Amino acid sequence: MSAWLPQVTLHSLVVAISVLVYVLTTRVERERRPPSIAIAWVLGMIALPYLTLPTYLLFGRRKLPRKVLHWSGIGSHCTHWAEDLIESFGLAPCAPSSIHLHQDGSESAAALFATMSNAIDRLDICTYILGNDAFGREAMQRMIERAQSGVQVRLLIDGVGAIQLPASCFSRLKAAGVQTAIFSPLLARKTQGPRNLRNHRKMVIADGTQLWAGGRNLAAEYFTGVKGAPPWRDLSFDLQGPVAAAAAYQFEADWVAAGGRPAAPHAATGAVRPGMVAPDGATRDIAAPGVTTPSVATQGVVASGAVAYAPTPAGGRAQFLPSGPDQAEDTVHALLIDACFHVRERLLAVTPYFVPDVSLETAMRLAARRGVKIDLCIPVVSNHRLADFARNRSLRALSTAGVRIHLLQHMNHAKAVVFDDSLAISGSVNLDSRSLLLNYECAVVFYGAREIDWLADWIQALIPEAQPFDYRAPSLWRDIGEGLLLTVAYQL
C-alpha cells in the first residue's frame, strides 16, 4: 500500500517551499501583478526553484510597504480631470508655474547651469548617470563652486550610475563640501527594497523654488554629443513656483531613503540678492527665500529664491508627478491609461523604449479604434537592443489598430505624451513596463496651452524624417523569441 503513496523528495520539498514563499509574500505585501508575470514566477519556481527563489527574493518585489490613502472628506473638483486623479494619489495639487521648455541640448545646458548658479541656500541634484566626460566634469565643477561659496550642495545618484563614475570623482566632490549619497548601491544594502528598483529621476532644484528636470542625464551624449557624434534628441525644462517645492519634497524623501541626513529648513533673510543668472546669460535681481518678487507675483507665482526671468504668460499651470515603489499607486501608468479613454482627437508620443504592459497597449488600441489619431515616435535603434527586440509584438498590434509608428533615424531619448489640446506629460518616464511599474521616476503634467502646443510641435517635427514601421507577421522563431523575452522583459 505504501508503494502507491507519493514520495517526498528534497527537490519536491524545495519546489513546495518556493511556491509557498511566493504566495505568502504576495498576499502579505498585497502585491498586484499582471497574470503573465505571476505565472512566469510560479512556473520558474516549479522548474528551477534553486535559481528562481533567490532571484525572486532579490528582485521580485516592486513596491515598498503600501501607504493607505484615505479620502479627506473634501471634494476638490478641479478644473481638469487629471488634477483630480493626481490629487487622489496624495500628491501636490496643480499650481501656476513659470515654465521654459528646452529646444535642444545647448539650451538645456544653459538652463541647467543657470539653475545651479541661482541656488542661494541649497542645491539638490538627482541623476541616474553623471558622466565621466567633459560635460560631467563641468557639472561637477559647478557643484564644487557652489559648495565653496557656502551653498549646501547634495548629489543623489543611482547605484547603477555610480559604478560608471571613478571613486576619485566622489572623493573630489566630498573634499569640496558636496554631500553625496548613492541610491540603492549594488554591493551594499542602504536603500529599502530589491536591487533592481532603480532611481531614474532627473532633477536639479535650487532653494526649493526653481526646478530643472526632464529626460537628460548629466553626461555629454545628452547635451553636446561624444566623439564627433551629435547629441541625442531629448527633452527637458525648467520652471519656477510651487511645483519646484513638490519636487524638493520628493528629493528629500529620496535623500533620506538613501541614507542622507535630513536637511535643515531654509533660512529666509529677507534681503534682495543681485546677480542671479538666467538661461540667456543675463543677470537679474531677485528676492531671497520667503520674499515675493512683485514682477513674478503678478503672474501668480511666488518667486521665493527663484530667478524672475521670462515668466510664462498667465495660465501656465503644472503638476509634479512622481512614480515608483515609494508611491501608493502606479501614478503615471494610471494617468496614461485614463488619458487614453479621455482623448478624443489626437495622441502624440515620443519615447526611446516602448514595451508597454497589456493594459496600456489595450488602452491605446481602443483609442485608435474609435478614431483617435495616434502618432508614436521611437528610434529605429536605441541604446537598449533587448528593448528594441521586445517592442515589436506591441508595435504590430498597435499598427493593425491604426496607430502610426514613426521610426526615427537618430537616437531619441525624449519622453513626452500629448493628449488633445488639454494635457501633456514629460519627464524621466519611458513607455515601458520597467519605467512605469518598477523604477523611481518623475514627470511634470502640463495644463497650459503654450506648453502643450510646444511639445506637440516638437514631436510632430520629428515625423517627416522618420520611416514607417513594417508590421508584417514575424517568423515562427522570432515570434517564439519575442514571447520568451517578454516573459522576463518586465524585470529587464
Side-chain angles (χ1 to χ4, degrees):
M1 188 72 176
S2 60
W4 295 98
L5 294 176
Q7 299 297 312
V8 178
T9 65
L10 179 60
H11 177 76
S12 62
L13 187 61
V14 171
V15 170
I17 292 174
S18 298
V19 174
L20 183 62
V21 167
Y22 174 81
V23 172
L24 290 178
T25 55
T26 300
R27 291 295 179 268
V28 169
E29 297 180 5
R30 299 180 182 179
E31 285 276 8
R32 294 176 294 186
R33 303 177 189 275
S36 59
I37 302 303
I39 292 171
W41 278 121
V42 172
L43 290 179
M45 289 176 181
I46 293 174
L48 297 169
Y50 310 100
L51 174 63
T52 306
L53 180 60
T55 302
Y56 171 74
L57 294 175
L58 285 173
F59 306 117
R61 294 169 57 201
R62 73 177 190 91
K63 283 287 186 184
L64 302 182
R66 281 188 173 271
K67 299 175 288 185
V68 179
L69 301 178
H70 300 285
W71 181 46
S72 64
I74 301 174
S76 57
H77 303 298
C78 302
T79 58
H80 195 288
W81 64 264
E83 296 180 55
D84 281 325
L85 177 65
I86 294 172
E87 285 193 40
S88 75
F89 300 146
L91 298 173
C94 175
S97 300
S98 175
I99 304 164
H100 176 216
L101 293 144
H102 310 144
Q103 185 69 38
D104 52 33
S106 60
E107 192 172 335
S108 179
L112 167 66
F113 294 148
T115 301
M116 297 172 73
S117 298
N118 289 343
I120 298 172
D121 292 321
R122 184 182 305 150
L123 176 63
D124 295 330
I125 301 166
C126 177
T127 186
Y128 183 66
I129 296 172
L130 179 58
N132 184 27
D133 51 37
F135 188 89
R137 288 188 288 273
E138 172 70 13
M140 285 187 277
Q141 180 59 36
R142 290 177 180 262
M143 296 180 210
I144 291 171
E145 291 173 356
R146 300 310 294 144
Q148 291 175 340
S149 69
V151 176
Q152 181 187 16
V153 181
R154 300 187 294 177
L155 170 65
L156 177 62
I157 185 170
D158 184 76
V160 170
I163 64 176
Q164 304 178 41
L165 200 63
S168 59
C169 293
F170 288 102
S171 299
R172 180 174 170 232
L173 289 169
K174 291 179 181 178
V178 177
Q179 301 174 45
T180 60
I182 298 176
F183 195 96
S184 192
L186 297 181
L187 301 179
R189 187 163 183 87
K190 293 183 179 179
T191 310
Q192 187 181 10
R195 296 276 75 79
N196 68 326
L197 303 181
R198 311 315 314 172
N199 192 329
H200 197 242
R201 292 166 179 156
K202 291 101 173 171
M203 303 183 291
V204 177
I205 310 156
D207 298 322
T209 58
Q210 187 172 350
L211 169 68
W212 178 97
R216 289 182 167 95
N217 288 296
L218 304 185
E221 58 264 35
Y222 301 91
F223 294 90
T224 59
V226 293
K227 298 179 180 178
W232 294 355
R233 300 276 183 91
D234 213 330
L235 282 168
S236 59
F237 48 87
D238 65 282
L239 57 81
Q240 303 166 52
V243 175
Y249 178 85
Q250 182 62 63
F251 179 92
E252 190 68 26
D254 292 352
W255 177 260
V256 172
R261 296 180 61 183
H266 287 292
T269 64
V272 174
R273 302 189 184 186
M276 305 308 287
V277 182
D280 59 6
T283 57
R284 307 282 192 269
D285 288 353
I286 171 179
V291 179
T292 301
T293 304
S295 61
V296 183
T298 57
Q299 299 291 341
V301 179
V302 176
S304 55
V307 171
Y309 66 84
T312 296
R317 298 164 58 247
Q319 198 165 14
F320 186 71
L321 182 61
S323 70
D326 56 340
Q327 301 300 314
E329 307 295 339
D330 298 318
T331 55
V332 175
H333 185 254
L335 176 65
L336 291 173
I337 292 175
D338 207 351
C340 283
F341 289 102
H342 277 86
V343 67
R344 290 292 176 263
E345 296 180 0
R346 68 169 183 179
L347 191 164
L348 298 167
V350 58
T351 183
Y353 324 113
F354 185 77
V355 190
D357 71 324
V358 173
S359 56
L360 179 56
E361 178 193 314
T362 301
M364 293 180 68
R365 282 194 291 107
L366 294 177
R369 286 179 178 175
R370 68 173 191 270
V372 177
K373 295 179 180 179
I374 302 181
D375 290 281
L376 172 63
C377 298
I378 55 176
V380 173
V381 178
S382 76
N383 61 323
H384 287 297
R385 297 303 177 88
L386 286 179
D388 293 348
F389 186 84
R391 71 190 183 186
N392 288 291
R393 184 169 292 188
S394 292
L395 293 181
R396 286 193 293 271
L398 291 175
S399 295
T400 303
V403 175
R404 292 172 292 194
I405 313 295
H406 308 281
L407 301 179
L408 309 176
Q409 301 304 305
H410 49 267
M411 174 53 194
N412 167 81
H413 195 255
K415 312 100 165 28
V417 187
V418 176
F419 298 93
D420 289 332
D421 298 318
S422 63
L423 179 71
I425 179 172
S426 184
S428 69
V429 189
N430 301 305
L431 297 183
D432 66 80
S433 296
R434 159 159 282 281
S435 190
L436 290 167
L437 301 174
L438 287 179
N439 284 343
Y440 297 80
E441 306 277 4
C442 68
V444 169
V445 179
F446 300 101
Y447 300 98
R450 175 179 175 269
E451 291 75 42
I452 294 171
D453 291 344
W454 192 100
L455 287 168
D457 291 343
W458 195 93
I459 297 172
Q460 288 174 328
L462 302 173
I463 295 176
E465 61 185 69
Q467 66 183 50
F469 172 72
D470 183 358
Y471 58 91
R472 288 179 297 179
S475 65
L476 174 62
W477 290 112
R478 183 180 179 90
D479 193 42
I480 293 174
E482 289 176 4
L484 292 174
L485 182 57
L486 285 170
T487 303
V488 297
Y490 183 75
Q491 298 289 340
L492 293 178

